[in-house]
Amino acid sequence: METSKILNGKDVAEYINHKSGELVQKLKAQNIHPGLVVILVGDDPASAVYVRSKGRMCEKLGILSATHTLPATTSETELLELISNLNNDQAYHGILVQLPLPDHIDEQKIIEAINPLKDVDCFHPKNVGLLTIGTPYLLPCTPAGIIEIFKYYKIATNEKDVVIIGRSNIVGKPVANILLQKSEFANATVTVVHSRTKNISKYTKEADIIVAAIGQPAFLTADMIKEGAVLVDVGINRVDDSTAKRGYRLMGDIDYADVYEKCSAITPVPGGVGPMTISMLMRNTIQATIKQTDANL
Ligand code: GUN
């Protein structure tokens, strides 16, 4: 759609949210009402912010939403029981359990308890497996958001050398899986580097595209990239800043000021990948609804 050095995730999210809103209206005309339920356990302030913005976006797009806010002392059994009830609740086509969970709860067990058809995060092993073999049910939200930014700004990944910094199940591994697919917006040569990689710069210096998702503020600097690289910053780190109203500011995994002149394109923080995650969650909720109902589009 556009070419620009600053890859503005807000613009891409707005473009996709508009299409999502139209789809919701089409479904409603068929008496199908997409619904998303979010479960938040404990009182992590960042998680509470994310959960609130998910609810607001649902409202904006006409998606039915509910939030279950549970105390940090909630037992694993109680949480499993709630998920089991929601799996059987026809009003909700998507179930999202906000991560991280308190230490006494086995995160994997919770993820596996969600009905894979309602797994809008795409974290269930069945859905991870389907993605890995190239027949995804849905795409996980943050990785899908990165792909949509590439599409919007016409950044080709075909035959490109992509280096992903970070090997998490939420970002690093699924981004690698998606970009490896045999498809027009993938077909990349993918390298994943991480905290135990001996010499990260050796790989990043050769990369056409770098996706930074390691959770270390300003980790990637100009000396680590080649001229003209495309940079995607998935980091949202809170760093202390006494001059900021809240006492902190958000900083990505890339040293933005340092790399800006050398790169050909970059996602800012905030306003890059961040807004895409919620936008993709809305789209996944709608897609899950379509797959679970006899919607006729
Ligand atoms: N915590 C941070 N990112 C995510 C996400 O994409 N989904 C869920 N469920 N929890 C998260």
Side-chain angles (χ1 to χ4, degrees):
M1 299 271 156
E2 305 257 346
T3 54
S4 162
K5 180 154 186 175
I6 297 176
L7 308 174
N8 187 335
K10 275 194 218 160
D11 287 350
V12 188
E14 215 165 276
Y15 164 75
I16 290 174
N17 290 342
H18 179 75
K19 290 202 289 192
S20 292
E22 286 178 348
L23 256 181
V24 171
Q25 292 315 314
K26 274 192 194 161
L27 289 169
K28 285 188 170 171
Q30 297 174 38
N31 211 19
I32 295 168
H33 298 257
L36 172 69
V37 60
V38 177
I39 304 171
L40 173 63
V41 186
D43 36 37
D44 176 59
S47 290
V49 172
Y50 294 139
V51 168
R52 268 199 304 277
S53 39
K54 285 165 191 168
R56 273 200 301 268
M57 188 56 77
C58 280
E59 200 176 322
K60 194 169 156 197
L61 300 187
I63 295 173
L64 170 72
S65 83
T67 303
H68 290 261
T69 307
L70 308 176
T73 51
T74 303
S75 72
E76 190 176 277
T77 313
E78 285 169 311
L79 185 53
L80 287 170
E81 207 171 281
L82 173 61
I83 291 170
S84 166
N85 290 336
L86 294 169
N87 280 341
N88 295 317
D89 187 337
Q90 303 257 335
Y92 298 106
H93 309 88
I95 300 173
L96 181 142
V97 179
Q98 185 67 31
L99 303 179
L101 289 168
D103 288 344
H104 66 277
I105 298 177
D106 180 345
E107 216 157 82
Q108 198 54 33
K109 199 165 167 184
I110 298 303
I111 289 170
E112 290 180 29
I114 297 170
N115 176 351
L117 294 173
K118 297 192 178 189
D119 171 33
V120 282
D121 266 325
C122 201
F123 291 167
H124 191 286
K126 177 168 182 200
N127 291 328
V128 175
L130 287 171
L131 171 62
T132 307
I133 64 169
T135 57
Y137 173 63
L138 298 170
L139 294 180
C141 302
T142 302
I146 295 171
I147 304 298
E148 291 302 330
I149 289 176
F150 290 159
K151 285 187 182 172
Y152 187 90
Y153 287 105
K154 291 196 185 306
I155 293 169
T157 58
N158 202 21
E159 297 180 7
K160 294 288 167 62
D161 292 331
V162 178
V163 170
I164 298 161
I165 314 175
R167 54 177 159 178
S168 72
N169 289 337
I170 299 186
V171 183
K173 285 183 205 161
V175 170
N177 266 328
I178 293 171
L179 290 175
L180 280 174
Q181 309 282 332
K182 279 189 194 173
S183 82
E184 189 196 343
F185 281 95
N187 281 336
T189 301
V190 178
T191 304
V192 181
V193 300
H194 48 78
S195 55
R196 303 300 286 266
T197 299
K198 272 190 293 192
N199 183 352
I200 290 182
S201 317
K202 178 177 130 185
Y203 301 95
T204 53
K205 272 182 187 163
E206 299 287 321
D208 302 311
I209 299 173
I210 301 172
V211 178
I214 33 161
Q216 279 188 46
F219 175 82
L220 190 78
T221 47
D223 57 314
M224 297 171 75
I225 68 166
K226 77 172 179 186
E227 193 79 37
V230 172
L231 306 178
V232 177
D233 195 344
V234 187
I236 308 179
N237 308 290
R238 286 186 178 195
V239 294
D240 291 338
D241 182 351
S242 55
T243 65
K245 214 162 52 178
R246 302 184 187 118
Y248 67 86
R249 66 196 160 92
L250 296 179
M251 191 187 275
D253 289 349
I254 299 179
D255 189 335
Y256 188 90
D258 194 38
V259 299
Y260 188 80
E261 286 304 322
K262 199 171 180 184
C263 69
S264 65
I266 183 166
T267 64
V269 175
V273 175
M276 292 306 299
T277 300
I278 289 185
S279 178
M280 294 297 104
L281 175 66
M282 300 299 115
R283 192 173 75 174
N284 277 356
T285 302
I286 297 164
Q287 291 305 321
T289 305
I290 293 169
K291 289 168 193 278
Q292 286 165 64
T293 58
D294 51 5
N296 187 5
L297 294 162

